[in-house]
Amino acid sequence: MSSNRPPFSFSMMVLLVDDQAIVAEAVRRSLAEVADLEFHYCQDPQRAVMLAQQLKPTVILQDLVMPGVDGLELLKQYRAHPALQTVPVIVLSTKEEPKVKAQAFELGANDYLVKLPDRVELVARVRYHSEAYISAKQRDEAFRALRESQHELAARNAALVTLNQQLEEATRAKSEFLANMSHEIRSPMNGVIGMTTLLLDTALNSEQRTFVETVRGCGESLLTIINDILDFSKIEAGRIELENHPYDLRHCVEEACELLSPKAVEKGLDLVVLVDPEMPAVVVGDVTRLRQVVVNLVANAVKFTAKGEVVVAVHATPAPNPAELILNFAVSDTGIGIPRDKQDRLFQSFSQVDSSTTRQYGGTGLGLAICKRLTELMGGKIWIDSDAGRGSTFHFTITVRQGVSEIPAWHRAPVALRGRTILLIEDSSAQRRLVAQCAGLWGLVVIEAASLAEGEARVQAAGPEQIDVVIVDGELLGENLVQGVGHVRQRLAIHAPVLLSTVRRPRAGEAVAFGADGMIVKPVRPALLLEAIVGTVAGGTAQEKRAPVASAFTETLASRLPLRILVADDNAINQMVALMLLNRLGYTADVAANGVEVIKAIDSKVYDLIFLDVRMPEMDGYEAARRICEKWAGDAAARPRIIAMTGNAMQGERERCLEAGMDDYLSKPVRIEELKALIKRWGAKN
Ligand code: ADP
């Protein structure tokens, strides 16, 4: 029998309602061999409906003529009963009676058989109706479940929409909160860092100096953390928009390294920038974000390196689009390195190589995650090549548009310099590479030596008269540089001028250039290297040669670039910080406490540069900038340059300042290096 079973399993149940036990017995026998069938019999028609309701048969076999109750009447009752409405009913009649048959079908019977039906036919009909009934039941059940899950989905969807709205609201609130906090935290930090910087320039005993340095260090770390968190949340919220302006690539990288130079000096590390001389000088892209990535990687390299060097190398390769270029950066260090199995987590947010690193070096673990996202935004990628104990090289690329570049002036050296020979005594191979690269460009010959002893040997081999200038690494000369320089002259026994290349600057009371004929300040910039070599090699007596060097180290930025400056800030401490920082560069500036005072001041005096705080009472910086621009609407070139000074580092702030007519943007806390760079950038344009 089993081979005849339908493809899905169900179990049939037949309820026979008949007053004649003999009929029941015959039917039972007919159905007995069907394995998946359960048979029930009801002799008392009065109990039929109740029994059917209890048993839930898949087919009712209903006799028509019974004492007391008519079979057709029962049929009516089944159809009126909610639980039995759809149960198939096969009417059993004693004979073929068309009238009764029609009546039965009209009342809802599903089939009509004459007693006693043939066994095979009975089984087939029972099976057919049961199957139809069960699949209809299953279909209804499936529909019900579907409807239910549809309702559930709709309800969840509605909940999600509401949640999304709440999240958007929360994100907006968070951004606003961050913007406000950023301002609130940066303003006092400006006071802390600015004042400690100034304090460090006063007479302090060594204990006091340590305390102040600690305060400044803590302030700087706090600021880095605030900046990282802000940046990261901006990137996560997709709120970073890239700028597209022409910029000087070498300058950007050198500026970034100069910011970190004091840290590198403190640790005795060589920090070298090697930009391929073939690179176009000017490219178009987002200089601020590039500087941020470079600063981040160089800061890490300096942080995780105890001795040796940190080298930033840049070269360009063609991009698929000929109007674009791919810039390839490599920041290498000779530090602790990163084990291979830890490298895949590096670029994830909040991840540090191990917790002991965190304890030893601090940090949020956000820097590299930010770098990764920024380089990707700039059309590039970032990866690492490192091993524990072997140092690290972080590579990254970005895509930029080609700019209109001229060949930089320092690429061409005076003819008088061609063919001259430099003796370079320098232990850092990267520094030697940098000088050799430049010298090649200028047609100079370089004799390289990694130590003083090697230099001595080289001089003897080449003949002392062959050397036109000696460049010596100050870090090889010990604590007392004046003595060291004397020692070099004596040991080499040559008359060629000696150029001292060092990270140290002479302090008040120390000999100018430590007694050398000139100084090259590290990190070495090719333009300044050329200036120093030209200054010492190209003619003049020793005395004359020393004079310009002397002035170069005593003159201030203000004496080279005299400017009339106005500072506007409503906060008295911030006013003082700005004035004193400017003072350190040799400038005496006027002060205004709000926009109204700025407008008054420019009506009565001519200024070249105005530093404008954006949030001020009475009239804010944006409005003041707009009014200044209006005043010079006819002659924009004569207008004082306006630089925003703001604690608000959120996205759009820079754009907002530029839209108001300001020329540039300086975020608080103001750092003297950045201030200097800005003055150079805008002061020179007046
Ligand atoms: P943090 O702000 O903690 O420095 P980063 O994302 O910049 O976060 O760096 C994550 C971790 O990667 C660091 O904590 C350090 O363990 C490791 N790391 C990054 N740069 C270097 C490097 N140049 N040498 C060794 N380890 C590094």
Side-chain angles (χ1 to χ4, degrees):
M1 272 309 315
S2 64
S3 60
N4 293 336
R5 301 235 328 241
F8 58 92
S9 98
F10 68 96
S11 130
M12 298 181 280
M13 187 198 282
V14 172
L15 172 64
L16 171 67
V17 183
D18 200 314
D19 58 323
Q20 289 175 286
I22 191 160
V23 174
E25 195 44 40
V27 172
R28 181 197 307 278
R29 239 180 272 145
S30 295
L31 299 177
E33 275 173 45
V34 185
D36 52 351
L37 190 144
E38 204 179 311
F39 179 77
H40 293 272
Y41 170 51
C42 168
Q43 189 169 23
D44 178 3
Q46 308 284 358
R47 294 186 59 234
V49 171
M50 194 193 69
L51 207 61
Q53 194 190 335
Q54 272 172 11
L55 292 171
K56 300 190 174 52
T58 59
V59 166
I60 298 174
L61 292 178
Q62 181 61 54
D63 179 27
L64 278 186
V65 191
M66 289 174 297
V69 185
D70 177 20
L72 290 177
E73 177 51 37
L74 262 183
L75 186 58
K76 256 195 244 164
Q77 286 182 22
Y78 296 145
R79 291 302 171 243
H81 195 291
L84 304 172
Q85 242 167 14
T86 57
V87 179
V89 178
I90 302 175
V91 170
L92 292 179
S93 178
T94 37
K95 54 179 187 289
E96 185 68 48
E97 267 180 302
K99 219 174 121 206
V100 179
K101 194 176 187 176
Q103 221 180 344
F105 278 115
E106 204 167 298
L107 288 175
N110 300 73
D111 212 338
Y112 184 94
L113 286 175
V114 176
K115 286 200 260 195
L116 280 169
D118 166 57
R119 190 183 71 84
V120 176
E121 189 180 0
L122 179 65
V123 172
R125 298 226 181 183
V126 164
R127 188 178 286 285
Y128 168 79
H129 287 293
S130 290
E131 199 179 304
Y133 176 66
I134 288 171
S135 55
K137 274 240 168 230
Q138 282 172 339
R139 190 199 56 211
D140 289 351
E141 176 59 24
F143 267 133
R144 197 195 53 73
L146 194 68
R147 241 193 334 266
E148 209 165 83
S149 55
Q150 264 171 347
H151 279 144
E152 203 171 310
L153 257 178
R156 285 209 188 159
N157 215 15
L160 270 178
V161 168
T162 318
L163 191 66
N164 206 19
Q165 278 165 351
Q166 285 169 348
L167 276 178
E168 270 172 23
E169 190 54 43
T171 309
R172 229 190 338 269
K174 189 183 81 180
S175 301
E176 234 163 74
F177 172 77
L178 280 173
N180 285 334
M181 284 318 284
S182 144
H183 187 264
E184 294 307 316
I185 296 172
R186 277 156 177 274
S187 278
M189 286 308 291
N190 190 36
V192 173
I193 293 177
M195 282 301 176
T196 46
T197 308
L198 295 167
L199 194 55
L200 281 170
D201 260 8
T202 62
L204 297 173
N205 68 31
S206 64
E207 191 182 33
Q208 290 166 330
R209 180 164 295 276
T210 316
F211 292 165
V212 179
E213 273 166 0
T214 311
V215 173
R216 189 175 59 175
C218 294
E220 298 269 356
S221 324
L222 186 55
L223 201 67
T224 314
I225 295 171
I226 295 166
N227 286 342
D228 273 2
I229 294 176
L230 262 175
D231 252 340
F232 190 72
S233 60
K234 274 190 283 179
I235 297 174
E236 286 298 90
R239 280 160 173 263
I240 290 250
E241 276 166 38
L242 293 182
E243 278 181 12
N244 245 326
H245 296 303
Y247 63 89
D248 182 330
L249 177 84
R250 175 183 288 275
H251 190 249
C252 163
V253 179
E254 284 177 343
E255 222 174 31
C257 289
E258 234 158 61
L259 271 179
L260 296 156
S261 167
K263 259 263 133 51
V265 169
E266 210 174 274
K267 299 182 81 176
L269 302 174
D270 272 299
L271 182 55
V272 185
V273 177
L274 276 174
V275 180
D276 182 357
E278 301 298 317
M279 280 264 319
V282 175
V283 295
V284 180
D286 193 327
V287 64
T288 315
R289 296 300 169 192
L290 171 61
R291 193 187 300 121
Q292 189 179 357
V293 176
V294 175
V295 166
N296 229 310
L297 295 181
V298 174
N300 273 350
V302 170
K303 182 159 140 187
F304 295 107
T305 304
K307 67 174 206 284
E309 57 192 26
V310 173
V311 182
V312 186
V314 194
H315 74 277
T317 44
N321 176 349
E324 292 179 339
L325 267 184
I326 295 173
L327 303 185
N328 304 265
F329 295 79
V331 179
S332 321
D333 63 55
T334 51
I336 59 172
I338 300 165
R340 289 205 174 250
D341 57 327
K342 302 278 170 57
Q343 293 178 5
D344 51 336
R345 280 186 306 139
L346 267 188
F347 297 102
Q348 291 166 11
S349 38
F350 308 105
S351 154
Q352 278 149 335
V353 168
D354 65 37
S355 49
S356 62
T357 317
T358 322
R359 275 199 299 278
Q360 193 180 346
Y361 299 98
T364 54
L366 278 177
L368 291 176
I370 293 172
C371 287
K372 179 171 181 327
R373 284 169 171 77
L374 286 181
T375 48
E376 283 166 359
L377 275 174
M378 290 190 281
K381 56 185 180 187
I382 185 165
W383 69 100
I384 180 184
D385 178 12
S386 176
D387 240 331
R390 199 177 54 86
S392 314
T393 299
F394 280 88
H395 297 270
F396 75 93
T397 60
I398 60 168
T399 308
V400 291
R401 287 218 321 276
Q402 306 236 31
V404 186
S405 330
E406 289 169 6
I407 295 177
W410 61 266
H411 271 217
R412 275 173 251 133
V415 184
L417 220 54
R418 297 235 175 95
R420 304 275 190 134
T421 303
I422 300 176
L423 170 65
L424 174 64
I425 307 174
E426 165 69 66
D427 64 344
S428 151
S429 60
Q431 295 280 14
R432 291 201 301 271
R433 239 170 84 204
L434 172 59
V435 175
Q437 198 179 59
C438 295
L441 213 59
W442 302 328
L444 286 156
V445 180
V446 183
I447 299 177
E448 294 181 27
S451 66
L452 211 50
E454 196 185 338
E456 204 178 347
R458 291 289 164 101
V459 172
Q460 274 161 17
E465 67 291 346
Q466 291 303 314
I467 312 290
D468 294 295
V469 61
V470 178
I471 300 179
V472 63
D473 175 13
E475 277 52 59
L476 291 174
L477 302 183
E479 268 302 298
N480 188 332
L481 283 180
V482 179
Q483 257 179 26
V485 170
H487 180 63
V488 171
R489 289 193 209 280
Q490 227 176 28
R491 213 163 145 185
L492 299 181
I494 50 177
H495 299 294
V498 175
L499 271 173
L500 182 64
S501 138
T502 178
V503 291
R504 284 186 35 198
R505 277 70 165 163
R507 290 224 183 91
E510 277 185 305
V512 163
F514 302 101
D517 297 273
M519 244 179 81
I520 300 159
V521 174
K522 284 183 182 174
V524 176
R525 290 186 170 205
L528 298 180
L529 175 65
L530 180 64
E531 223 171 79
I533 296 174
V534 170
T536 45
V537 176
T541 63
Q543 203 47 48
E544 280 167 355
K545 277 182 258 157
R546 263 167 229 182
V549 180
S551 70
F553 284 93
T554 48
E555 78 175 4
T556 57
L557 182 60
S559 60
R560 265 187 289 148
L561 204 60
L563 295 168
R564 292 154 296 189
I565 300 178
L566 176 66
V567 172
D569 199 311
D570 59 322
N571 179 309
I573 295 179
N574 285 343
Q575 274 180 10
M576 192 149 73
V577 170
L579 286 185
M580 293 179 87
L581 287 175
L582 285 167
N583 199 263
R584 291 248 315 258
L585 301 174
Y587 295 101
T588 333
D590 294 344
V591 190
N594 58 46
V596 178
E597 288 189 23
V598 171
I599 303 302
K600 246 191 245 155
I602 56 167
D603 278 342
S604 56
K605 195 171 160 185
V606 182
Y607 290 99
D608 303 306
L609 265 184
I610 301 176
F611 288 96
L612 262 187
D613 180 22
V614 292
R615 288 200 198 177
M616 290 183 294
E618 288 187 62
M619 185 195 293
D620 65 16
Y622 309 114
E623 181 56 28
R626 255 175 246 125
R627 302 240 183 139
I628 298 170
C629 291
E630 264 164 37
K631 189 172 151 120
W632 272 276
D635 184 11
R639 169 174 70 72
R641 298 295 123 190
I642 312 167
I643 294 166
M645 277 194 306
T646 159
N648 187 349
M650 287 306 280
Q651 174 69 21
E653 180 60 18
R654 189 189 169 84
E655 288 68 26
R656 214 175 143 198
C657 291
L658 297 185
E659 240 164 59
M662 304 194 209
D663 296 287
D664 214 327
Y665 173 98
L666 193 58
S667 71
K668 285 179 190 170
V670 175
R671 292 216 178 71
I672 191 142
E673 291 84 2
E674 287 170 17
L675 182 65
K676 208 163 142 184
L678 264 174
I679 293 179
K680 281 190 197 161
R681 188 176 311 155
W682 292 107
K685 294 197 178 166
N686 274 293

